[in-house]
Amino acid sequence: EKKAEEKSTTKAIMAAGKYISSLHSECDWLMQYYDVRKEARTDEIDALEKAAGILRGADDFSSVSLMQYGASHAHARKYLRSQLVAA
């Protein structure tokens, strides 16, 4: 019975170690790409605000097409994909 308990405890410890390792990897990725993700979020917020202005009929956005707003998002996605492939 004691050996079974030791085996169970060892499995639990190994599972906890594996889980902690996966959290560490995820955290590393989040820290590595924080600036890129922050810029993409900022660009997305700006694009949404501009799109809302266009939909409201704001004159200061009339000369800018909606296609231009998607370019920054596409660039950020392309950069992230290239970094993931390189890693």
Side-chain angles (χ1 to χ4, degrees), residues 35-50 64-81:
D35 292 331
V36 173
R37 292 171 44 248
K38 181 179 176 182
E39 182 179 341
R41 279 192 308 272
T42 300
D43 290 346
E44 184 174 3
I45 290 168
D46 291 344
L48 289 171
E49 288 172 350
K50 290 175 183 176
V64 183
S65 75
L66 288 174
M67 293 300 289
Q68 290 172 314
Y69 299 131
S72 62
H73 302 291
H75 176 71
R77 284 190 302 273
K78 183 177 179 181
Y79 175 79
L80 282 173
R81 284 187 190 121

Side-chain angles (χ1 to χ4, degrees), residues 3 6-7 9-11 19 26 31 37-38 41 44-45 52 61-62 68 77 85 87:
K3 282 193 173 198
E6 286 177 8
K7 188 175 181 180
T9 301
T10 301
K11 283 184 179 182
Y19 178 68
E26 184 177 337
M31 294 298 293
R37 292 171 44 248
K38 181 179 176 182
R41 279 192 308 272
E44 184 174 3
I45 290 168
F61 299 112
S62 61
Q68 290 172 314
R77 284 190 302 273
V85 170

